[in-house]
Amino acid sequence: MNIVIHPTYFPNIAHFVAMANAKTVAFEMDDNFLKQTYRNRAYIYGANGKLGLNIPVIHSQKNRQKYRDVKIFNEDNWQSLHWKSLLSAYRTSPFFEYYEDELQHLFTEKAEFLLDFNLKCFEVITDCLQLDLELTKTETYQKTYADKTDFRPLVHAKKEPLYPFESYTQVFNSKHGYITNLSILDLLFNEGPNALNYLEAQNTTLL
């Protein structure tokens, strides 16, 4: 299966199920930025349940702005807040310490453009997962593809289906039960080296 998909902020499990089971992956690089999407948000499992991590961005006065041109609003101390949220949520998870050093620099080094930062996060995560992808980047926007399965709709954060992925043990399971399709960080910190096996075992027809 050859797919086209959006690069997002620490992509959720649905994104990674699609990519882990694909023959080739093309990242959409020439689309317009839209609000209410995973381009600048991720969800983790906090002590009070599902917790959103949002990257603040500088909105253009133009009606349309390319995703690749969107700048991060670094006046907010969002990186520190996101890291503290991850510490609070996953410090007691089985594999947080195992990956902590590989991830922490992402929350201290400043980035100007949202897309560039997301790609950097993606590289770190694929290294942690030991996931090798045949990855390309689109050069022009195409509404439809004849030769690729289009997973770009997965970028929308609203009206998302409850994906029936297999459950795994989460830190706060006993408080709030299993929460499906969180950021890949949730799977990584809880399942560690088994995370890739989990992704490859999920059914892409559910997406």
Side-chain angles (χ1 to χ4, degrees):
M1 177 172 65
N2 303 312
I3 73 170
V4 58
I5 198 166
H6 287 289
T8 60
Y9 180 44
F10 288 118
N12 60 30
I13 289 172
H15 278 77
F16 266 101
V17 166
M19 290 187 283
N21 290 282
K23 182 180 178 183
T24 66
V25 176
F27 269 161
E28 176 59 74
M29 303 290 285
D30 200 48
D31 61 312
N32 290 322
F33 180 79
L34 297 173
K35 299 177 183 178
Q36 308 292 328
T37 71
Y38 286 110
R39 290 174 180 86
N40 64 321
R41 73 175 60 187
Y43 288 99
I44 62 173
Y45 200 151
N48 295 316
K50 190 174 180 180
L51 175 66
L53 303 179
N54 295 289
I55 300 176
V57 299
I58 300 170
H59 291 290
S60 168
Q61 300 305 311
K62 304 173 189 173
N63 289 331
R64 292 170 184 257
Q65 186 180 21
K66 293 286 189 182
Y67 179 14
R68 61 168 179 260
D69 295 330
V70 172
K71 292 185 177 182
I72 297 173
F73 183 67
N74 283 313
E75 299 303 311
D76 279 358
N77 197 20
W78 66 271
Q79 285 171 294
S80 176
L81 292 173
H82 286 200
W83 184 246
K84 286 175 181 174
S85 295
L86 290 173
L87 283 172
S88 176
Y90 298 111
R91 188 182 290 142
T92 61
S93 66
F95 295 98
F96 181 80
E97 288 185 0
Y98 189 74
Y99 298 109
E100 181 178 3
D101 289 345
E102 292 183 61
L103 291 161
Q104 189 171 10
H105 72 94
L106 294 169
F107 299 92
T108 56
E109 299 167 3
K110 296 295 181 189
E112 184 177 8
F113 291 97
L114 176 64
L115 179 55
D116 292 343
F117 180 71
N118 287 346
L119 291 172
K120 187 189 292 186
C121 293
F122 180 79
E123 287 177 16
V124 172
I125 288 294
T126 52
D127 283 346
C128 291
L129 290 170
Q130 295 187 312
L131 172 61
D132 293 321
L133 294 174
E134 190 174 326
L135 184 66
T136 59
K137 297 175 182 177
T138 65
E139 295 182 0
T140 56
Y141 180 80
Q142 291 181 230
K143 192 169 184 179
T144 59
Y145 283 90
D147 60 340
K148 294 179 178 66
T149 303
D150 192 348
F151 283 114
R152 290 176 295 183
L154 291 178
V155 77
H156 299 294
K158 296 293 182 183
K159 298 180 182 178
E160 185 180 72
L162 288 173
Y163 295 104
F165 296 134
E166 291 174 40
S167 62
Y168 55 89
T169 302
Q170 295 169 314
V171 175
F172 299 107
N173 260 61
S174 59
K175 282 190 175 184
H176 307 287
Y178 177 70
I179 301 179
T180 190
N181 200 38
L182 294 175
S183 166
I184 189 65
L185 292 171
D186 186 78
L187 180 67
L188 190 67
F189 294 146
N190 286 300
E191 289 290 312
N194 188 52
L196 182 56
N197 293 332
Y198 173 92
L199 295 169
E200 291 174 342
Q202 305 313 301
N203 190 346
T204 56
T205 62
L206 299 175
L207 303 177

